[in-house]
Amino acid sequence: MTVTQLIVYLLVAAVVSIIAERLVGSGPWGLIGNIIVGLIGIWLMLNVLHIILPGDPVVAGVPIITSIVGAMIVDIALSLLVRGKGPRRNWRRRAL
């Protein structure tokens, strides 16, 4: 893997994770966290589950829709582990 391929892979992972974060409604993990979530989502779908949707647009060897689904799965799993209650809720505290 060349440096340019790595940079494109990281950019695709960041964009995919930001889209997944907006769809799921959890986060924010920050830029580095989004890149890590995107990379794990891409790895999960392509290397562990071996799922590639037919007709999926590909950028630099990364299927986009499949990667968004993988990032959504990882985002939901991390939200459940970190917060213990799933996607972010907008709770307001009452003033005492």
Side-chain angles (χ1 to χ4, degrees):
M1 178 178 276
T2 65
V3 174
T4 43
Q5 287 175 330
L6 178 65
I7 291 171
V8 169
Y9 203 79
L10 291 174
L11 287 173
V12 168
V15 170
V16 160
S17 179
I18 290 169
I19 292 170
E21 182 179 314
R22 299 291 183 228
L23 290 174
V24 172
S26 65
W29 305 113
L31 180 61
I32 303 298
N34 279 337
I35 292 172
I36 292 171
V37 166
L39 288 173
I40 293 172
I42 293 168
W43 173 77
L44 177 72
M45 294 300 278
L46 298 181
N47 297 335
V48 176
L49 300 176
H50 303 288
I51 297 173
I52 298 176
L53 300 173
D56 199 357
V58 176
V59 174
V62 179
I64 299 299
I65 297 173
T66 303
S67 300
I68 291 172
V69 172
M72 287 173 63
I73 292 169
V74 173
D75 202 0
I76 290 170
L78 283 176
S79 294
L80 289 173
L81 288 174
V82 172
R83 292 190 183 97
K85 58 184 173 183
R88 179 178 51 193
R89 309 274 193 259
N90 291 326
W91 299 101
R92 291 187 180 196
R93 288 190 159 192
R94 291 187 284 168
L96 296 176

